[in-house]
Amino acid sequence: MCGIVGYIGDKEAYPILIKGLKRLEYRGYDSAGVAILNDVVKLYKKKGKVSDLENFVATNDIHGKVGIGHTRWATHGEPNDANAHPHFSMNKDFVIIHNGIIENYAKLKDDLTAKGYTFKSETDTEVLANLIEYIYRKRDISAELAIRMALSRVQGAYGLVVMCKNEPDKLIAARKGSPLVIGIGKGEYYIASDATPIVEYTKSVIYLNDNDIAVVSRNELKLKTIQDKALTPNVQELSLDVGELDKGGFDHFMLKEIYEQPKAITDTFRGRITPDHKDIQLGGMLDIWPKMLQSRRIIIIACGTSWHAGLVGEYLFEEFARMPVEVEYGSEFRYRNPIIYEDDVVIAISQSGETADTLAAIKLAKEAGATVIGICNVVGSSIPRETDGGVYTHAGPEIGVASTKAFTAQVTVLTMMALKLAQLKGSISSHQLDELIDQMVLIPGKIESVLEKNEKIFGIAEKYKNSSNALYLGRGFLFPVALEGALKLKEISYIHAEGYPAAEMKHGPIALIDENMPVFVVATKDSSYEKIVSNIQEVKARNGKVIAVVTHGDEVIKSMADHFIEVPECSEYLAPLLTTIPLQLLSYHIAVMRGCNVDQPRNLAKSVTVE
C-alpha cells in the first residue's frame, strides 16, 4: 500500500526520489521521507503530503547519488514524523524503507530490547532495521548476509530497500508478498513499488518474486534467493507511457479515468473479438478452456470493486455457460477452511495484480489443486505470475484510488470469458452469440452518449451533496451496479451509502426511507422491469427521493422519479457497463462539491498489499 522509490547512479538522487514519491501519491499515504547517502546518511521525513516533505527539506543539504524514499500508510503506529519512513537502526549502520507487515515484530522487539536496543518509533520496520544491525555487528558479516539472515527470522510480508553506511555504493532490495520492480539504466538502477516512478527513465525492468533479494550497485545487479541461490534476472519491457500518468487537462485523475472508459473497453476487447464479430479469442486462456469444460464449478475471488465485477461475472457465467459460480471475498476465503476441489476453476480479479488477500487465496486454491485464472490490469504483477493463465484488461494506468475504468474493463473481460465458455459448451446459440458480440462492440459509443449527460448529472449532484445517507437499488444484473454505486459514493464523498437488491428493501432498509433519503435506482428495461417499478412506487409512497437510471424513452419511471438519467437501450446482460457510468459521475461531483480529495480519499490506498 505504501510507496517505495530508490536510486543509485551518477545523477543527483533527491530530484528522482521526490518526483517518484509524487508519482506514488495515488497509492494513498499519510507521511513521506527520504534518505540520501553522501559520506553520511541524511534523513528527512515528515507527516503529511510529499509537498510538506519538500518544504521541510528545502533549506537542507540534499546532495548525493544514492538514496531511498517512501510514502507511508500507517499500520503499526499512528501517522507522525517519528513513525514515518525511512528508519535508522539504533547505531545508524542501516537505513531502511519497508512496505508490508512484520507479524512477529513484538517478539523480535522484546528480544532486541533485552540486548540493549532502544526504539524511537512504534513501527515494525524499525524493529527489522535493528535486527539487521544486531546480526551485522554480532557476526561481523556483510550487509547482504545480515539482511538475508534477518529476513529468515521474519514472519509476514515485506518489500524493502536497505542502505548500509559502511557499504555506500549499493542498495539491497528484497520482496515477500509486497511488490518491487527494478529499473535498469546505463550505469544506474531504479527501485520502486510499482513502475510509475520508473517509466520516464527506463523501459527495462525486473520484477522481483517472493523470496528474491537484489544487490544493486551502479554497474551491477545480483539477483538471488534469500537462501543465497543465484538467479538469472528476467528483464521485461514496460508498456506504460509516462503521458498516461498526467491528468490530461481534467481536474482530477478520477474524472479523466471515467472519461477514458470507452477507450479502455475498446482496448480490452480489441484483437479478442474477431473482425466478423462471430468469435472471441482469448490467448491467455487456450490451455484453460479444456479444464473449464471439465470443471465442477467456478469460484471468483476478489476484493472491493473487483468483487462487484465478480458478481456480474457470476450472473454471466450462470446465464450463458450454465455453470455454478461462487463469488468470494479474498479476505474471508483465505481464513475459512474452504472446500476446494481439484476440478474447480478459480478466477482471481485485481486491478493491481498485487492485492494481498487475493494473492493468499490464490495460493490456497493452488495448494488444493484447482486451476487458477487471473484477471488484472498490470503486466508483470504478482497475480499473472502466480496463476495458470488468464486475461489482462487493457484499461491503462488507473491513478484515482476509486476504481472506475478498472471495473468496466473487468466486466468486459468476464463477459467475453462467459460467452466464449458458453460457445465451447454449446449452451448459447450462434445467433445469440453474434448478437451479443455486436452489442458489445457498440458499448463504447453508448458510453460516450452517457458522458454527454455530465452537465445534467452535475445538477442532480448539487441537490444531494449534503445528504447523510443514501440507498442504491438494483435487480438481477444491476444489483452489483447498485453495490458499486454505493461504494463509489461512500469512499470518495464520505456519505454513508448502501446497495441492496431492490426486493430486499422490504426486509429492513425500507424503514430508513423518508423525505431526506435519496434512493438511487438502477432501473433499465429488462426482465425485472415491472418489479423495479413496484419498488420505486414503494419508495415514493414513503416520500423518498428517487434518482433513477433508466433506458432512453422510458416514460413510466421518468414520471415517477424525482430525477432521471437516461442511458441508451442495450441488452440487459451488458447493462452494467452503461449504468455504472452515471453513478460514477454522481459520486465524483458530490465529492468535489463537498471539498473531498477524490483522487486520494482519506484512509484509503489504491493497492491493498497488506492484510
PDB file of all heavy atoms in Angstrom, residues 277-294:
ATOM      1  N   HIS A 277     -17.037 -10.334 -35.915  1.00  0.00           N
ATOM      2  CA  HIS A 277     -17.878 -10.289 -34.708  1.00  0.00           C
ATOM      3  C   HIS A 277     -18.567 -11.620 -34.424  1.00  0.00           C
ATOM      4  O   HIS A 277     -19.610 -11.654 -33.767  1.00  0.00           O
ATOM      5  CB  HIS A 277     -18.945  -9.186 -34.812  1.00  0.00           C
ATOM      6  CG  HIS A 277     -18.389  -7.807 -34.871  1.00  0.00           C
ATOM      7  ND1 HIS A 277     -19.182  -6.688 -34.981  1.00  0.00           N
ATOM      8  CD2 HIS A 277     -17.102  -7.359 -34.854  1.00  0.00           C
ATOM      9  CE1 HIS A 277     -18.424  -5.607 -35.032  1.00  0.00           C
ATOM     10  NE2 HIS A 277     -17.155  -5.988 -34.951  1.00  0.00           N
ATOM     11  N   LYS A 278     -17.963 -12.712 -34.843  1.00  0.00           N
ATOM     12  CA  LYS A 278     -18.590 -14.020 -34.648  1.00  0.00           C
ATOM     13  C   LYS A 278     -17.828 -14.922 -33.673  1.00  0.00           C
ATOM     14  O   LYS A 278     -18.263 -16.028 -33.385  1.00  0.00           O
ATOM     15  CB  LYS A 278     -18.753 -14.730 -35.994  1.00  0.00           C
ATOM     16  CG  LYS A 278     -19.749 -14.042 -36.919  1.00  0.00           C
ATOM     17  CD  LYS A 278     -20.004 -14.850 -38.162  1.00  0.00           C
ATOM     18  CE  LYS A 278     -21.020 -14.157 -39.063  1.00  0.00           C
ATOM     19  NZ  LYS A 278     -22.333 -13.968 -38.399  1.00  0.00           N
ATOM     20  N   ASP A 279     -16.696 -14.438 -33.156  1.00  0.00           N
ATOM     21  CA  ASP A 279     -15.917 -15.283 -32.259  1.00  0.00           C
ATOM     22  C   ASP A 279     -15.132 -14.401 -31.293  1.00  0.00           C
ATOM     23  O   ASP A 279     -14.888 -13.215 -31.547  1.00  0.00           O
ATOM     24  CB  ASP A 279     -14.958 -16.167 -33.054  1.00  0.00           C
ATOM     25  CG  ASP A 279     -14.411 -17.335 -32.227  1.00  0.00           C
ATOM     26  OD1 ASP A 279     -14.931 -17.558 -31.113  1.00  0.00           O
ATOM     27  OD2 ASP A 279     -13.476 -17.996 -32.689  1.00  0.00           O
ATOM     28  N   ILE A 280     -14.736 -15.018 -30.194  1.00  0.00           N
ATOM     29  CA  ILE A 280     -13.920 -14.369 -29.174  1.00  0.00           C
ATOM     30  C   ILE A 280     -12.682 -15.225 -28.969  1.00  0.00           C
ATOM     31  O   ILE A 280     -12.787 -16.440 -28.793  1.00  0.00           O
ATOM     32  CB  ILE A 280     -14.695 -14.226 -27.852  1.00  0.00           C
ATOM     33  CG1 ILE A 280     -15.878 -13.258 -28.032  1.00  0.00           C
ATOM     34  CG2 ILE A 280     -13.783 -13.734 -26.726  1.00  0.00           C
ATOM     35  CD1 ILE A 280     -16.864 -13.276 -26.882  1.00  0.00           C
ATOM     36  N   GLN A 281     -11.521 -14.592 -29.007  1.00  0.00           N
ATOM     37  CA  GLN A 281     -10.260 -15.311 -28.858  1.00  0.00           C
ATOM     38  C   GLN A 281      -9.473 -14.697 -27.700  1.00  0.00           C
ATOM     39  O   GLN A 281      -9.100 -13.521 -27.752  1.00  0.00           O
ATOM     40  CB  GLN A 281      -9.454 -15.237 -30.158  1.00  0.00           C
ATOM     41  CG  GLN A 281     -10.161 -15.884 -31.341  1.00  0.00           C
ATOM     42  CD  GLN A 281      -9.446 -15.685 -32.657  1.00  0.00           C
ATOM     43  OE1 GLN A 281      -8.561 -14.840 -32.778  1.00  0.00           O
ATOM     44  NE2 GLN A 281      -9.829 -16.466 -33.662  1.00  0.00           N
ATOM     45  N   LEU A 282      -9.248 -15.500 -26.682  1.00  0.00           N
ATOM     46  CA  LEU A 282      -8.509 -15.054 -25.502  1.00  0.00           C
ATOM     47  C   LEU A 282      -7.251 -15.908 -25.392  1.00  0.00           C
ATOM     48  O   LEU A 282      -7.297 -17.036 -24.908  1.00  0.00           O
ATOM     49  CB  LEU A 282      -9.387 -15.188 -24.252  1.00  0.00           C
ATOM     50  CG  LEU A 282     -10.713 -14.403 -24.284  1.00  0.00           C
ATOM     51  CD1 LEU A 282     -11.561 -14.742 -23.065  1.00  0.00           C
ATOM     52  CD2 LEU A 282     -10.460 -12.911 -24.358  1.00  0.00           C
ATOM     53  N   GLY A 283      -6.117 -15.358 -25.847  1.00  0.00           N
ATOM     54  CA  GLY A 283      -4.883 -16.131 -25.943  1.00  0.00           C
ATOM     55  C   GLY A 283      -4.414 -16.715 -24.634  1.00  0.00           C
ATOM     56  O   GLY A 283      -3.880 -17.837 -24.594  1.00  0.00           O
ATOM     57  N   GLY A 284      -4.613 -15.990 -23.535  1.00  0.00           N
ATOM     58  CA  GLY A 284      -4.155 -16.477 -22.240  1.00  0.00           C
ATOM     59  C   GLY A 284      -5.007 -17.583 -21.656  1.00  0.00           C
ATOM     60  O   GLY A 284      -4.713 -18.109 -20.579  1.00  0.00           O
ATOM     61  N   MET A 285      -6.063 -17.959 -22.400  1.00  0.00           N
ATOM     62  CA  MET A 285      -6.977 -18.987 -21.901  1.00  0.00           C
ATOM     63  C   MET A 285      -6.917 -20.278 -22.708  1.00  0.00           C
ATOM     64  O   MET A 285      -7.658 -21.224 -22.418  1.00  0.00           O
ATOM     65  CB  MET A 285      -8.412 -18.445 -21.941  1.00  0.00           C
ATOM     66  CG  MET A 285      -8.668 -17.300 -20.982  1.00  0.00           C
ATOM     67  SD  MET A 285      -8.713 -17.839 -19.262  1.00  0.00           S
ATOM     68  CE  MET A 285     -10.192 -18.847 -19.265  1.00  0.00           C
ATOM     69  N   LEU A 286      -6.067 -20.353 -23.709  1.00  0.00           N
ATOM     70  CA  LEU A 286      -6.073 -21.500 -24.619  1.00  0.00           C
ATOM     71  C   LEU A 286      -5.895 -22.832 -23.888  1.00  0.00           C
ATOM     72  O   LEU A 286      -6.549 -23.827 -24.221  1.00  0.00           O
ATOM     73  CB  LEU A 286      -4.982 -21.335 -25.676  1.00  0.00           C
ATOM     74  CG  LEU A 286      -5.220 -20.229 -26.718  1.00  0.00           C
ATOM     75  CD1 LEU A 286      -4.048 -20.124 -27.676  1.00  0.00           C
ATOM     76  CD2 LEU A 286      -6.520 -20.476 -27.478  1.00  0.00           C
ATOM     77  N   ASP A 287      -5.004 -22.843 -22.899  1.00  0.00           N
ATOM     78  CA  ASP A 287      -4.772 -24.092 -22.153  1.00  0.00           C
ATOM     79  C   ASP A 287      -5.782 -24.298 -21.034  1.00  0.00           C
ATOM     80  O   ASP A 287      -5.801 -25.367 -20.396  1.00  0.00           O
ATOM     81  CB  ASP A 287      -3.360 -24.087 -21.563  1.00  0.00           C
ATOM     82  CG  ASP A 287      -2.280 -24.100 -22.642  1.00  0.00           C
ATOM     83  OD1 ASP A 287      -2.562 -24.609 -23.740  1.00  0.00           O
ATOM     84  OD2 ASP A 287      -1.177 -23.583 -22.380  1.00  0.00           O
ATOM     85  N   ILE A 288      -6.614 -23.286 -20.786  1.00  0.00           N
ATOM     86  CA  ILE A 288      -7.536 -23.336 -19.654  1.00  0.00           C
ATOM     87  C   ILE A 288      -8.912 -23.837 -20.061  1.00  0.00           C
ATOM     88  O   ILE A 288      -9.599 -24.499 -19.275  1.00  0.00           O
ATOM     89  CB  ILE A 288      -7.659 -21.932 -19.007  1.00  0.00           C
ATOM     90  CG1 ILE A 288      -6.278 -21.411 -18.611  1.00  0.00           C
ATOM     91  CG2 ILE A 288      -8.581 -21.976 -17.810  1.00  0.00           C
ATOM     92  CD1 ILE A 288      -5.570 -22.229 -17.563  1.00  0.00           C
ATOM     93  N   TRP A 289      -9.324 -23.557 -21.301  1.00  0.00           N
ATOM     94  CA  TRP A 289     -10.688 -23.920 -21.700  1.00  0.00           C
ATOM     95  C   TRP A 289     -10.996 -25.406 -21.477  1.00  0.00           C
ATOM     96  O   TRP A 289     -12.083 -25.730 -20.957  1.00  0.00           O
ATOM     97  CB  TRP A 289     -10.949 -23.542 -23.162  1.00  0.00           C
ATOM     98  CG  TRP A 289     -10.930 -22.072 -23.461  1.00  0.00           C
ATOM     99  CD1 TRP A 289     -10.176 -21.438 -24.404  1.00  0.00           C
ATOM    100  CD2 TRP A 289     -11.705 -21.044 -22.830  1.00  0.00           C
ATOM    101  NE1 TRP A 289     -10.420 -20.080 -24.389  1.00  0.00           N
ATOM    102  CE2 TRP A 289     -11.359 -19.819 -23.438  1.00  0.00           C
ATOM    103  CE3 TRP A 289     -12.656 -21.035 -21.806  1.00  0.00           C
ATOM    104  CZ2 TRP A 289     -11.927 -18.604 -23.053  1.00  0.00           C
ATOM    105  CZ3 TRP A 289     -13.229 -19.830 -21.414  1.00  0.00           C
ATOM    106  CH2 TRP A 289     -12.866 -18.639 -22.041  1.00  0.00           C
ATOM    107  N   PRO A 290     -10.100 -26.329 -21.849  1.00  0.00           N
ATOM    108  CA  PRO A 290     -10.431 -27.741 -21.597  1.00  0.00           C
ATOM    109  C   PRO A 290     -10.693 -28.037 -20.126  1.00  0.00           C
ATOM    110  O   PRO A 290     -11.585 -28.837 -19.788  1.00  0.00           O
ATOM    111  CB  PRO A 290      -9.192 -28.489 -22.109  1.00  0.00           C
ATOM    112  CG  PRO A 290      -8.583 -27.561 -23.122  1.00  0.00           C
ATOM    113  CD  PRO A 290      -8.823 -26.189 -22.590  1.00  0.00           C
ATOM    114  N   LYS A 291      -9.936 -27.380 -19.243  1.00  0.00           N
ATOM    115  CA  LYS A 291     -10.138 -27.593 -17.809  1.00  0.00           C
ATOM    116  C   LYS A 291     -11.468 -26.996 -17.355  1.00  0.00           C
ATOM    117  O   LYS A 291     -12.166 -27.569 -16.506  1.00  0.00           O
ATOM    118  CB  LYS A 291      -8.979 -26.990 -17.023  1.00  0.00           C
ATOM    119  CG  LYS A 291      -7.641 -27.651 -17.317  1.00  0.00           C
ATOM    120  CD  LYS A 291      -6.513 -26.982 -16.550  1.00  0.00           C
ATOM    121  CE  LYS A 291      -5.169 -27.645 -16.884  1.00  0.00           C
ATOM    122  NZ  LYS A 291      -4.035 -27.001 -16.176  1.00  0.00           N
ATOM    123  N   MET A 292     -11.825 -25.833 -17.914  1.00  0.00           N
ATOM    124  CA  MET A 292     -13.094 -25.222 -17.538  1.00  0.00           C
ATOM    125  C   MET A 292     -14.264 -26.076 -18.007  1.00  0.00           C
ATOM    126  O   MET A 292     -15.289 -26.174 -17.322  1.00  0.00           O
ATOM    127  CB  MET A 292     -13.200 -23.807 -18.118  1.00  0.00           C
ATOM    128  CG  MET A 292     -12.253 -22.809 -17.495  1.00  0.00           C
ATOM    129  SD  MET A 292     -12.681 -21.086 -17.857  1.00  0.00           S
ATOM    130  CE  MET A 292     -14.016 -20.782 -16.707  1.00  0.00           C
ATOM    131  N   LEU A 293     -14.115 -26.679 -19.177  1.00  0.00           N
ATOM    132  CA  LEU A 293     -15.192 -27.524 -19.699  1.00  0.00           C
ATOM    133  C   LEU A 293     -15.419 -28.748 -18.818  1.00  0.00           C
ATOM    134  O   LEU A 293     -16.527 -29.294 -18.768  1.00  0.00           O
ATOM    135  CB  LEU A 293     -14.869 -27.949 -21.133  1.00  0.00           C
ATOM    136  CG  LEU A 293     -14.950 -26.834 -22.186  1.00  0.00           C
ATOM    137  CD1 LEU A 293     -14.371 -27.307 -23.511  1.00  0.00           C
ATOM    138  CD2 LEU A 293     -16.398 -26.379 -22.368  1.00  0.00           C
ATOM    139  N   GLN A 294     -14.375 -29.182 -18.116  1.00  0.00           N
ATOM    140  CA  GLN A 294     -14.482 -30.353 -17.253  1.00  0.00           C
ATOM    141  C   GLN A 294     -14.695 -29.991 -15.787  1.00  0.00           C
ATOM    142  O   GLN A 294     -14.836 -30.877 -14.944  1.00  0.00           O
ATOM    143  CB  GLN A 294     -13.197 -31.196 -17.371  1.00  0.00           C
ATOM    144  CG  GLN A 294     -12.925 -31.731 -18.772  1.00  0.00           C
ATOM    145  CD  GLN A 294     -14.022 -32.664 -19.260  1.00  0.00           C
ATOM    146  OE1 GLN A 294     -14.528 -33.483 -18.501  1.00  0.00           O
ATOM    147  NE2 GLN A 294     -14.394 -32.537 -20.531  1.00  0.00           N
TER     148      GLN A 294
END
